mmCIF file with all atom_site columns, all heavy atoms in Angstrom:
data_model
loop_
_atom_site.group_PDB
_atom_site.id
_atom_site.type_symbol
_atom_site.label_atom_id
_atom_site.label_alt_id
_atom_site.label_comp_id
_atom_site.label_asym_id
_atom_site.label_entity_id
_atom_site.label_seq_id
_atom_site.pdbx_PDB_ins_code
_atom_site.Cartn_x
_atom_site.Cartn_y
_atom_site.Cartn_z
_atom_site.occupancy
_atom_site.B_iso_or_equiv
_atom_site.pdbx_formal_charge
_atom_site.auth_seq_id
_atom_site.auth_comp_id
_atom_site.auth_asym_id
_atom_site.auth_atom_id
_atom_site.pdbx_PDB_model_num
ATOM 1  N N   . ARG N 1 77  ? 179.031 173.487 65.663 1.00 96.00 ? 90  ARG N N   1
ATOM 2  C CA  . ARG N 1 77  ? 179.716 174.765 65.934 1.00 96.00 ? 90  ARG N CA  1
ATOM 3  C C   . ARG N 1 77  ? 179.365 175.270 67.321 1.00 96.00 ? 90  ARG N C   1
ATOM 4  O O   . ARG N 1 77  ? 178.347 174.879 67.878 1.00 96.00 ? 90  ARG N O   1
ATOM 5  C CB  . ARG N 1 77  ? 179.244 175.832 64.918 1.00 96.00 ? 90  ARG N CB  1
ATOM 6  C CG  . ARG N 1 77  ? 179.542 175.454 63.500 1.00 96.00 ? 90  ARG N CG  1
ATOM 7  C CD  . ARG N 1 77  ? 178.722 176.311 62.532 1.00 96.00 ? 90  ARG N CD  1
ATOM 8  N NE  . ARG N 1 77  ? 178.905 175.823 61.176 1.00 96.00 ? 90  ARG N NE  1
ATOM 9  C CZ  . ARG N 1 77  ? 179.642 176.433 60.254 1.00 96.00 ? 90  ARG N CZ  1
ATOM 10 N NH1 . ARG N 1 77  ? 180.193 177.593 60.503 1.00 96.00 ? 90  ARG N NH1 1
ATOM 11 N NH2 . ARG N 1 77  ? 179.790 175.902 59.056 1.00 96.00 ? 90  ARG N NH2 1
ATOM 12 N N   . HIS N 1 174 ? 172.200 180.715 59.193 1.00 98.00 ? 187 HIS N N   1
ATOM 13 C CA  . HIS N 1 174 ? 173.559 181.017 59.663 1.00 98.00 ? 187 HIS N CA  1
ATOM 14 C C   . HIS N 1 174 ? 173.832 180.377 61.022 1.00 98.00 ? 187 HIS N C   1
ATOM 15 O O   . HIS N 1 174 ? 174.946 179.928 61.291 1.00 98.00 ? 187 HIS N O   1
ATOM 16 C CB  . HIS N 1 174 ? 173.716 182.538 59.754 1.00 98.00 ? 187 HIS N CB  1
ATOM 17 C CG  . HIS N 1 174 ? 175.084 182.994 60.114 1.00 98.00 ? 187 HIS N CG  1
ATOM 18 N ND1 . HIS N 1 174 ? 175.446 183.320 61.400 1.00 98.00 ? 187 HIS N ND1 1
ATOM 19 C CD2 . HIS N 1 174 ? 176.191 183.164 59.360 1.00 98.00 ? 187 HIS N CD2 1
ATOM 20 C CE1 . HIS N 1 174 ? 176.715 183.685 61.425 1.00 98.00 ? 187 HIS N CE1 1
ATOM 21 N NE2 . HIS N 1 174 ? 177.190 183.602 60.203 1.00 98.00 ? 187 HIS N NE2 1
ATOM 22 N N   . ASP N 1 269 ? 175.202 176.540 51.830 1.00 97.00 ? 282 ASP N N   1
ATOM 23 C CA  . ASP N 1 269 ? 176.668 176.535 51.870 1.00 97.00 ? 282 ASP N CA  1
ATOM 24 C C   . ASP N 1 269 ? 177.121 176.487 53.328 1.00 97.00 ? 282 ASP N C   1
ATOM 25 O O   . ASP N 1 269 ? 177.016 177.469 54.060 1.00 97.00 ? 282 ASP N O   1
ATOM 26 C CB  . ASP N 1 269 ? 177.217 177.789 51.174 1.00 97.00 ? 282 ASP N CB  1
ATOM 27 C CG  . ASP N 1 269 ? 178.733 177.745 51.081 1.00 97.00 ? 282 ASP N CG  1
ATOM 28 O OD1 . ASP N 1 269 ? 179.338 176.801 51.661 1.00 97.00 ? 282 ASP N OD1 1
ATOM 29 O OD2 . ASP N 1 269 ? 179.314 178.631 50.438 1.00 97.00 ? 282 ASP N OD2 1
ATOM 30 N N   . HIS N 1 270 ? 177.598 175.329 53.740 1.00 97.00 ? 283 HIS N N   1
ATOM 31 C CA  . HIS N 1 270 ? 178.084 175.181 55.117 1.00 97.00 ? 283 HIS N CA  1
ATOM 32 C C   . HIS N 1 270 ? 179.610 175.134 55.156 1.00 97.00 ? 283 HIS N C   1
ATOM 33 O O   . HIS N 1 270 ? 180.214 175.050 56.223 1.00 97.00 ? 283 HIS N O   1
ATOM 34 C CB  . HIS N 1 270 ? 177.512 173.911 55.751 1.00 97.00 ? 283 HIS N CB  1
ATOM 35 C CG  . HIS N 1 270 ? 177.950 172.662 55.066 1.00 97.00 ? 283 HIS N CG  1
ATOM 36 N ND1 . HIS N 1 270 ? 178.751 171.720 55.654 1.00 97.00 ? 283 HIS N ND1 1
ATOM 37 C CD2 . HIS N 1 270 ? 177.714 172.215 53.814 1.00 97.00 ? 283 HIS N CD2 1
ATOM 38 C CE1 . HIS N 1 270 ? 178.991 170.742 54.797 1.00 97.00 ? 283 HIS N CE1 1
ATOM 39 N NE2 . HIS N 1 270 ? 178.369 171.020 53.683 1.00 97.00 ? 283 HIS N NE2 1
ATOM 40 N N   . MET N 1 271 ? 180.226 175.222 53.978 1.00 95.00 ? 284 MET N N   1
ATOM 41 C CA  . MET N 1 271 ? 181.677 175.052 53.902 1.00 95.00 ? 284 MET N CA  1
ATOM 42 C C   . MET N 1 271 ? 182.417 176.393 53.849 1.00 95.00 ? 284 MET N C   1
ATOM 43 O O   . MET N 1 271 ? 183.627 176.432 54.070 1.00 95.00 ? 284 MET N O   1
ATOM 44 C CB  . MET N 1 271 ? 182.048 174.263 52.639 1.00 95.00 ? 284 MET N CB  1
ATOM 45 C CG  . MET N 1 271 ? 181.413 172.901 52.555 1.00 95.00 ? 284 MET N CG  1
ATOM 46 S SD  . MET N 1 271 ? 182.246 171.731 53.605 1.00 95.00 ? 284 MET N SD  1
ATOM 47 C CE  . MET N 1 271 ? 183.562 171.257 52.484 1.00 95.00 ? 284 MET N CE  1
ATOM 48 N N   . SER N 1 272 ? 181.721 177.451 53.527 1.00 95.00 ? 285 SER N N   1
ATOM 49 C CA  . SER N 1 272 ? 182.408 178.726 53.360 1.00 95.00 ? 285 SER N CA  1
ATOM 50 C C   . SER N 1 272 ? 183.146 179.104 54.643 1.00 95.00 ? 285 SER N C   1
ATOM 51 O O   . SER N 1 272 ? 182.573 179.066 55.739 1.00 95.00 ? 285 SER N O   1
ATOM 52 C CB  . SER N 1 272 ? 181.390 179.815 53.010 1.00 95.00 ? 285 SER N CB  1
ATOM 53 O OG  . SER N 1 272 ? 182.009 181.068 53.097 1.00 95.00 ? 285 SER N OG  1
ATOM 54 N N   . LEU N 1 273 ? 184.386 179.478 54.502 1.00 92.00 ? 286 LEU N N   1
ATOM 55 C CA  . LEU N 1 273 ? 185.191 179.809 55.675 1.00 92.00 ? 286 LEU N CA  1
ATOM 56 C C   . LEU N 1 273 ? 184.681 181.081 56.346 1.00 92.00 ? 286 LEU N C   1
ATOM 57 O O   . LEU N 1 273 ? 184.555 181.178 57.559 1.00 92.00 ? 286 LEU N O   1
ATOM 58 C CB  . LEU N 1 273 ? 186.642 179.981 55.221 1.00 92.00 ? 286 LEU N CB  1
ATOM 59 C CG  . LEU N 1 273 ? 187.704 180.065 56.299 1.00 92.00 ? 286 LEU N CG  1
ATOM 60 C CD1 . LEU N 1 273 ? 187.631 178.845 57.222 1.00 92.00 ? 286 LEU N CD1 1
ATOM 61 C CD2 . LEU N 1 273 ? 189.082 180.161 55.635 1.00 92.00 ? 286 LEU N CD2 1
ATOM 62 N N   . HIS N 1 274 ? 184.372 182.069 55.531 1.00 93.00 ? 287 HIS N N   1
ATOM 63 C CA  . HIS N 1 274 ? 184.033 183.383 56.087 1.00 93.00 ? 287 HIS N CA  1
ATOM 64 C C   . HIS N 1 274 ? 182.535 183.676 56.096 1.00 93.00 ? 287 HIS N C   1
ATOM 65 O O   . HIS N 1 274 ? 182.074 184.470 56.911 1.00 93.00 ? 287 HIS N O   1
ATOM 66 C CB  . HIS N 1 274 ? 184.762 184.484 55.306 1.00 93.00 ? 287 HIS N CB  1
ATOM 67 C CG  . HIS N 1 274 ? 186.251 184.342 55.372 1.00 93.00 ? 287 HIS N CG  1
ATOM 68 N ND1 . HIS N 1 274 ? 186.936 184.450 56.552 1.00 93.00 ? 287 HIS N ND1 1
ATOM 69 C CD2 . HIS N 1 274 ? 187.170 184.053 54.418 1.00 93.00 ? 287 HIS N CD2 1
ATOM 70 C CE1 . HIS N 1 274 ? 188.225 184.260 56.329 1.00 93.00 ? 287 HIS N CE1 1
ATOM 71 N NE2 . HIS N 1 274 ? 188.394 184.017 55.042 1.00 93.00 ? 287 HIS N NE2 1
ATOM 72 N N   . HIS N 1 275 ? 181.778 183.077 55.175 1.00 95.00 ? 288 HIS N N   1
ATOM 73 C CA  . HIS N 1 275 ? 180.371 183.443 55.045 1.00 95.00 ? 288 HIS N CA  1
ATOM 74 C C   . HIS N 1 275 ? 179.463 182.219 54.969 1.00 95.00 ? 288 HIS N C   1
ATOM 75 O O   . HIS N 1 275 ? 178.742 182.021 53.990 1.00 95.00 ? 288 HIS N O   1
ATOM 76 C CB  . HIS N 1 275 ? 180.166 184.325 53.814 1.00 95.00 ? 288 HIS N CB  1
ATOM 77 C CG  . HIS N 1 275 ? 180.995 185.564 53.856 1.00 95.00 ? 288 HIS N CG  1
ATOM 78 N ND1 . HIS N 1 275 ? 180.815 186.537 54.821 1.00 95.00 ? 288 HIS N ND1 1
ATOM 79 C CD2 . HIS N 1 275 ? 182.025 185.980 53.096 1.00 95.00 ? 288 HIS N CD2 1
ATOM 80 C CE1 . HIS N 1 275 ? 181.697 187.507 54.634 1.00 95.00 ? 288 HIS N CE1 1
ATOM 81 N NE2 . HIS N 1 275 ? 182.442 187.191 53.598 1.00 95.00 ? 288 HIS N NE2 1
ATOM 82 N N   . PRO N 1 276 ? 179.477 181.363 55.997 1.00 96.00 ? 289 PRO N N   1
ATOM 83 C CA  . PRO N 1 276 ? 178.627 180.176 55.941 1.00 96.00 ? 289 PRO N CA  1
ATOM 84 C C   . PRO N 1 276 ? 177.145 180.523 56.086 1.00 96.00 ? 289 PRO N C   1
ATOM 85 O O   . PRO N 1 276 ? 176.807 181.573 56.633 1.00 96.00 ? 289 PRO N O   1
ATOM 86 C CB  . PRO N 1 276 ? 179.111 179.338 57.124 1.00 96.00 ? 289 PRO N CB  1
ATOM 87 C CG  . PRO N 1 276 ? 179.677 180.339 58.081 1.00 96.00 ? 289 PRO N CG  1
ATOM 88 C CD  . PRO N 1 276 ? 180.239 181.457 57.250 1.00 96.00 ? 289 PRO N CD  1
ATOM 89 N N   . GLY N 1 277 ? 176.292 179.633 55.596 1.00 97.00 ? 290 GLY N N   1
ATOM 90 C CA  . GLY N 1 277 ? 174.862 179.792 55.813 1.00 97.00 ? 290 GLY N CA  1
ATOM 91 C C   . GLY N 1 277 ? 174.120 180.438 54.666 1.00 97.00 ? 290 GLY N C   1
ATOM 92 O O   . GLY N 1 277 ? 172.951 180.784 54.789 1.00 97.00 ? 290 GLY N O   1
#
Side-chain angles (χ1 to χ4, degrees):
R90 300 164 187 254
H187 185 263
D282 186 354
H283 63 114
M284 302 282 276
S285 169
L286 192 55
H287 300 296
H288 302 296

